Amino acid sequence: MLRASSSYFAHSDTGRARRANEDAYFARSPVFVVADGMGGAQAGEVASRVAIEAFERGLDDGGATSAEQLLADRVQEANTRIHEMSQASQDRAGMGTTITAAHVGHHDVAVAHVGDSRAYLIREGQLSRITNDHSWVFEQVQAGMLTEAEAEKHPLRNVITRALGGALQVNPDASEIEARAGDVILLCSDGLTGMVPENEILRLVTENNGDLQKACQQLIDAANERGGLDNVTAVLVKTV
Ligand code: CA
């Protein structure tokens, strides 16, 4: 189950408006992670880095345990550590981070996430979201109170409803999809999706899907050309 099966490229950029980059990523096949930290006095950078560190030893071969459960366990572990650190120091009080973690296997892709960093599947010229944002605007769209278009422009679009670090327990969403050869998985922070429309993301990935480094750079350039108001991180993985 836990075998590497992909080519990949990942990059993170501070953007044009922020002084520091509070995003972090991890990319070592078959495990890929994006985290988008928040909190003053560099605490956001600490939170996202600590979240990533929980994945650096890779996933254990869980035997009967599914990849999505292994990912969810690591998310929980990261949450505990960030929560403890936030309790231990004034400067780190209230720090938190999103996390979106994927295991890309030969036959399936498992994803666990908390917050609004997204995972997408790009297959045969179509882009689909694997994750649902844990955000106030997403909940309003689900409830029929806002349209997608209204949500994208809404002043509260950055308000997330779940994050790592806020409480001792966290409830990640975890799911698994079947993988096909040639699928591209994109993990990204909201610095990409807040700046670049999904049809443009799809176009840039599809046009460059033979060169993931170029695709990744063009996604980041597109966010910066539109203002680069946030840190932007993109991890691209192509299944073989
Ligand atoms: Ca962000």
Side-chain angles (χ1 to χ4, degrees):
M1 179 183 64
L2 303 181
R3 287 174 298 166
S5 171
S6 53
S7 57
Y8 57 93
F9 191 82
H11 192 59
S12 185
D13 189 84
T14 304
R16 297 218 167 135
R18 301 280 177 91
R19 264 177 293 175
N21 192 347
E22 297 184 318
D23 287 0
Y25 69 85
F26 176 76
R28 194 171 66 216
S29 190
V31 178
F32 303 90
V33 188
V34 167
D36 176 353
M38 60 213 85
Q42 281 98 54
E45 287 159 271
V46 173
S48 60
R49 204 175 56 240
V50 169
I52 294 297
E53 280 168 6
F55 291 86
E56 283 179 345
R57 66 180 190 274
L59 295 187
D60 312 318
D61 194 334
T65 311
S66 67
E68 63 183 281
Q69 186 59 50
L70 293 171
L71 291 172
D73 290 348
R74 285 296 164 82
V75 169
Q76 200 68 249
E77 179 186 320
N79 179 69
T80 303
R81 181 146 162 68
I82 294 163
H83 183 68
E84 284 170 358
M85 288 173 74
S86 76
Q87 300 287 300
S89 142
Q90 270 300 342
D91 284 352
R92 292 173 177 167
M95 76 174 177
T97 184
T98 73
I99 191 150
T100 297
H103 176 276
V104 180
H106 281 279
H107 304 298
D108 37 53
V109 177
V111 175
H113 89 288
V114 173
D116 66 353
S117 300
R118 291 181 185 165
Y120 285 102
L121 167 68
I122 294 131
R123 173 186 288 168
E124 291 167 2
Q126 306 262 350
L127 171 140
S128 51
R129 287 188 207 171
I130 303 173
T131 51
N132 289 325
D133 295 350
H134 299 142
S135 68
W136 184 84
V137 290
F138 182 79
E139 290 174 2
Q140 298 301 303
V141 171
Q142 292 289 91
M145 305 298 283
L146 289 177
T147 65
E148 281 273 352
E150 287 166 341
E152 281 169 19
K153 305 272 178 235
H154 200 282
L156 298 181
R157 63 188 177 277
N158 295 322
V159 174
I160 60 173
T161 49
R162 274 187 243 177
L164 297 197
L168 199 51
Q169 291 292 320
V170 71
N171 180 22
D173 284 349
S175 61
E176 198 158 274
I177 60 168
E178 171 218 356
R180 295 187 202 157
D183 284 349
V184 177
I185 307 298
L186 166 65
L187 309 183
C188 59
S189 61
D190 69 336
L192 178 68
T193 51
M195 306 303 299
V196 184
E198 288 181 338
N199 60 3
E200 181 70 2
I201 292 174
L202 173 63
R203 187 181 70 78
L204 292 172
V205 173
T206 307
E207 281 180 6
N208 299 292
N209 99 19
D211 184 344
L212 294 182
Q213 179 171 356
K214 190 172 169 197
C216 190
Q217 193 56 55
Q218 291 199 359
L219 290 173
I220 287 170
D221 289 349
N224 284 330
E225 281 158 16
R226 286 169 170 78
L229 297 179
D230 198 358
N231 308 140
V232 51
T233 302
V235 177
L236 286 164
V237 188
K238 188 170 185 177
T239 58
V240 291

